[in-house]
Amino acid sequence: MNPADINPPITVLVVDDSVSVRKALERILAPQGYLIRMADSAESALENLEPLPDLVLADILMPGMSGLELTRIMSDRGLNVPVMLMSGIVDEVTQRDAQAAGARGVLRKPFTPAELLPAIEPQVMAALDARAQRDGAAPAATPPTPVTPMPAAAAPATPVAAQPVPAPVQPGAQPSAAQTSAAQPAPFQPAPTFTPAPPAHSGPLAGLNAVPGVLGATLYDADGERQDQFGPDLPESFAMYARFMVTAAATASHHLNRGDLGSILLSYAGQTLLLSPHRDGQLVTLLASSDAAPAAQRWQAAQHN
């Protein structure tokens, strides 16, 4: 099926609070012949449903109304429009909740064009059926859900200290006391501890690299764009995971009446990450251990004062 051959074109409503996700979907779908409309929230999508889109791609977790609630409301209104949800985490519970809400599937973020286009093709067929059903036809089938594994962050390299080499003794010459002692095995003595001063860093993260136990940090803005960074690089796709986890935790703390979210400590693959809301985005700090978290949090709190 070639979407460019469909007339009128398939209209896809993209609902996501992230500008970068909306733009990414537009860059993938528009060249294929899809007509793209956008909404930055479920509330905005409900206010701008007319004319009805053929297909809705909606993020599950958004400030305010979730994608699940959007799907339920559209179903309750009897709107015959296929909805496919998107989420950074796709498990059995997510699949069950999406099906109960009336969605046709869940697409795992982040995704590539090679994963997205085949995943939505069954939904396009459902969209065409829904068009015809408004004139009298049948719905389409539920699509499979692609799964993309989460990559691990790179580990910092460990430097190896160089050993001194004693000077050779010339033939016929008497070895000096220093050379004689160098030829004898010396008793073991622990090497002195030396901690080099961290390199100077400017920008929003200036000073964080000097906090004890901090190995690196990456600051993302509200759209997942990298604003500042030092230390080991995180995978490019991690911005989306960081936004998802921080938003999920903040939403949970709000519903539990536990106040504003402070931070999340995440350990995986031998890495310790501190994820925190920072200004309008997210700060991901790579720590030597969880014991370094309080010092990093104090640095962050000082930036807000």
mmCIF file of all heavy atoms in Angstrom, residues 231-249:
data_model
loop_
_atom_site.group_PDB
_atom_site.id
_atom_site.type_symbol
_atom_site.label_atom_id
_atom_site.label_comp_id
_atom_site.label_asym_id
_atom_site.label_seq_id
_atom_site.Cartn_x
_atom_site.Cartn_y
_atom_site.Cartn_z
ATOM 1 N N GLY A 231 31.758 14.619 30.582
ATOM 2 C CA GLY A 231 31.937 13.226 30.955
ATOM 3 C C GLY A 231 31.463 12.293 29.858
ATOM 4 O O GLY A 231 31.257 12.700 28.714
ATOM 5 N N PRO A 232 31.264 10.998 30.181
ATOM 6 C CA PRO A 232 30.863 10.010 29.174
ATOM 7 C C PRO A 232 29.549 10.387 28.500
ATOM 8 O O PRO A 232 28.635 10.916 29.130
ATOM 9 C CB PRO A 232 30.710 8.717 29.999
ATOM 10 C CG PRO A 232 31.533 8.941 31.231
ATOM 11 C CD PRO A 232 31.462 10.397 31.517
ATOM 12 N N ASP A 233 29.480 10.101 27.202
ATOM 13 C CA ASP A 233 28.258 10.388 26.452
ATOM 14 C C ASP A 233 27.178 9.351 26.773
ATOM 15 O O ASP A 233 27.457 8.148 26.878
ATOM 16 C CB ASP A 233 28.532 10.353 24.946
ATOM 17 C CG ASP A 233 29.362 11.542 24.486
ATOM 18 O OD1 ASP A 233 29.263 12.602 25.124
ATOM 19 O OD2 ASP A 233 30.110 11.393 23.502
ATOM 20 N N LEU A 234 25.947 9.828 26.904
ATOM 21 C CA LEU A 234 24.798 8.933 26.992
ATOM 22 C C LEU A 234 24.302 8.638 25.587
ATOM 23 O O LEU A 234 24.513 9.429 24.666
ATOM 24 C CB LEU A 234 23.679 9.582 27.810
ATOM 25 C CG LEU A 234 23.953 9.768 29.306
ATOM 26 C CD1 LEU A 234 22.819 10.550 29.941
ATOM 27 C CD2 LEU A 234 24.107 8.419 29.997
ATOM 28 N N PRO A 235 23.624 7.490 25.381
ATOM 29 C CA PRO A 235 23.052 7.216 24.070
ATOM 30 C C PRO A 235 22.104 8.347 23.644
ATOM 31 O O PRO A 235 21.417 8.940 24.478
ATOM 32 C CB PRO A 235 22.279 5.906 24.291
ATOM 33 C CG PRO A 235 22.936 5.273 25.472
ATOM 34 C CD PRO A 235 23.390 6.397 26.347
ATOM 35 N N GLU A 236 22.079 8.627 22.350
ATOM 36 C CA GLU A 236 21.273 9.741 21.851
ATOM 37 C C GLU A 236 19.798 9.584 22.209
ATOM 38 O O GLU A 236 19.101 10.554 22.486
ATOM 39 C CB GLU A 236 21.440 9.852 20.338
ATOM 40 C CG GLU A 236 20.751 11.057 19.726
ATOM 41 C CD GLU A 236 21.040 11.183 18.239
ATOM 42 O OE1 GLU A 236 21.910 10.444 17.745
ATOM 43 O OE2 GLU A 236 20.400 12.013 17.592
ATOM 44 N N SER A 237 19.331 8.335 22.214
ATOM 45 C CA SER A 237 17.914 8.088 22.489
ATOM 46 C C SER A 237 17.555 8.235 23.962
ATOM 47 O O SER A 237 16.378 8.185 24.321
ATOM 48 C CB SER A 237 17.533 6.676 22.025
ATOM 49 O OG SER A 237 18.310 5.699 22.710
ATOM 50 N N PHE A 238 18.558 8.417 24.851
ATOM 51 C CA PHE A 238 18.262 8.424 26.283
ATOM 52 C C PHE A 238 17.446 9.636 26.703
ATOM 53 O O PHE A 238 16.768 9.605 27.732
ATOM 54 C CB PHE A 238 19.565 8.382 27.090
ATOM 55 C CG PHE A 238 19.360 7.963 28.518
ATOM 56 C CD1 PHE A 238 19.250 6.629 28.850
ATOM 57 C CD2 PHE A 238 19.247 8.905 29.532
ATOM 58 C CE1 PHE A 238 19.041 6.240 30.163
ATOM 59 C CE2 PHE A 238 19.042 8.521 30.846
ATOM 60 C CZ PHE A 238 18.943 7.184 31.156
ATOM 61 N N ALA A 239 17.485 10.710 25.909
ATOM 62 C CA ALA A 239 16.699 11.907 26.244
ATOM 63 C C ALA A 239 15.224 11.566 26.403
ATOM 64 O O ALA A 239 14.549 12.047 27.315
ATOM 65 C CB ALA A 239 16.885 12.978 25.171
ATOM 66 N N MET A 240 14.732 10.707 25.503
ATOM 67 C CA MET A 240 13.314 10.350 25.564
ATOM 68 C C MET A 240 13.015 9.522 26.809
ATOM 69 O O MET A 240 11.983 9.707 27.471
ATOM 70 C CB MET A 240 12.920 9.592 24.293
ATOM 71 C CG MET A 240 11.432 9.445 24.084
ATOM 72 S SD MET A 240 11.032 8.762 22.457
ATOM 73 C CE MET A 240 11.582 10.072 21.380
ATOM 74 N N TYR A 241 13.933 8.612 27.165
ATOM 75 C CA TYR A 241 13.735 7.817 28.375
ATOM 76 C C TYR A 241 13.778 8.711 29.612
ATOM 77 O O TYR A 241 12.989 8.533 30.548
ATOM 78 C CB TYR A 241 14.814 6.743 28.478
ATOM 79 C CG TYR A 241 14.653 5.624 27.493
ATOM 80 C CD1 TYR A 241 15.550 5.468 26.443
ATOM 81 C CD2 TYR A 241 13.615 4.707 27.609
ATOM 82 C CE1 TYR A 241 15.410 4.439 25.533
ATOM 83 C CE2 TYR A 241 13.467 3.674 26.707
ATOM 84 C CZ TYR A 241 14.375 3.535 25.667
ATOM 85 O OH TYR A 241 14.235 2.530 24.765
ATOM 86 N N ALA A 242 14.709 9.663 29.636
ATOM 87 C CA ALA A 242 14.828 10.562 30.786
ATOM 88 C C ALA A 242 13.542 11.357 30.975
ATOM 89 O O ALA A 242 13.026 11.485 32.091
ATOM 90 C CB ALA A 242 16.025 11.493 30.607
ATOM 91 N N ARG A 243 13.021 11.917 29.885
ATOM 92 C CA ARG A 243 11.780 12.698 29.974
ATOM 93 C C ARG A 243 10.628 11.823 30.446
ATOM 94 O O ARG A 243 9.819 12.225 31.290
ATOM 95 C CB ARG A 243 11.449 13.323 28.616
ATOM 96 C CG ARG A 243 10.270 14.285 28.669
ATOM 97 C CD ARG A 243 9.970 14.866 27.297
ATOM 98 N NE ARG A 243 9.406 13.886 26.407
ATOM 99 C CZ ARG A 243 8.102 13.589 26.332
ATOM 100 N NH1 ARG A 243 7.251 14.208 27.115
ATOM 101 N NH2 ARG A 243 7.660 12.690 25.499
ATOM 102 N N PHE A 244 10.562 10.583 29.920
ATOM 103 C CA PHE A 244 9.469 9.686 30.296
ATOM 104 C C PHE A 244 9.523 9.360 31.787
ATOM 105 O O PHE A 244 8.515 9.453 32.493
ATOM 106 C CB PHE A 244 9.528 8.394 29.473
ATOM 107 C CG PHE A 244 8.549 7.350 29.924
ATOM 108 C CD1 PHE A 244 7.225 7.405 29.518
ATOM 109 C CD2 PHE A 244 8.939 6.331 30.773
ATOM 110 C CE1 PHE A 244 6.308 6.449 29.947
ATOM 111 C CE2 PHE A 244 8.037 5.377 31.202
ATOM 112 C CZ PHE A 244 6.716 5.437 30.786
ATOM 113 N N MET A 245 10.713 8.981 32.288
ATOM 114 C CA MET A 245 10.818 8.555 33.689
ATOM 115 C C MET A 245 10.587 9.709 34.650
ATOM 116 O O MET A 245 9.902 9.558 35.670
ATOM 117 C CB MET A 245 12.186 7.903 33.917
ATOM 118 C CG MET A 245 12.287 6.522 33.293
ATOM 119 S SD MET A 245 13.849 5.664 33.653
ATOM 120 C CE MET A 245 14.918 6.447 32.449
ATOM 121 N N VAL A 246 11.132 10.878 34.329
ATOM 122 C CA VAL A 246 10.937 12.030 35.215
ATOM 123 C C VAL A 246 9.470 12.461 35.214
ATOM 124 O O VAL A 246 8.892 12.755 36.254
ATOM 125 C CB VAL A 246 11.860 13.196 34.794
ATOM 126 C CG1 VAL A 246 11.488 14.481 35.535
ATOM 127 C CG2 VAL A 246 13.316 12.839 35.073
ATOM 128 N N THR A 247 8.847 12.472 34.026
ATOM 129 C CA THR A 247 7.432 12.856 33.945
ATOM 130 C C THR A 247 6.554 11.850 34.664
ATOM 131 O O THR A 247 5.611 12.223 35.373
ATOM 132 C CB THR A 247 6.998 12.978 32.478
ATOM 133 O OG1 THR A 247 7.854 13.903 31.805
ATOM 134 C CG2 THR A 247 5.562 13.468 32.373
ATOM 135 N N ALA A 248 6.858 10.554 34.505
ATOM 136 C CA ALA A 248 6.069 9.513 35.176
ATOM 137 C C ALA A 248 6.154 9.654 36.688
ATOM 138 O O ALA A 248 5.143 9.582 37.400
ATOM 139 C CB ALA A 248 6.559 8.134 34.748
ATOM 140 N N ALA A 249 7.363 9.860 37.196
ATOM 141 C CA ALA A 249 7.535 9.997 38.644
ATOM 142 C C ALA A 249 6.861 11.259 39.166
ATOM 143 O O ALA A 249 6.257 11.254 40.246
ATOM 144 C CB ALA A 249 9.023 9.996 38.990
#
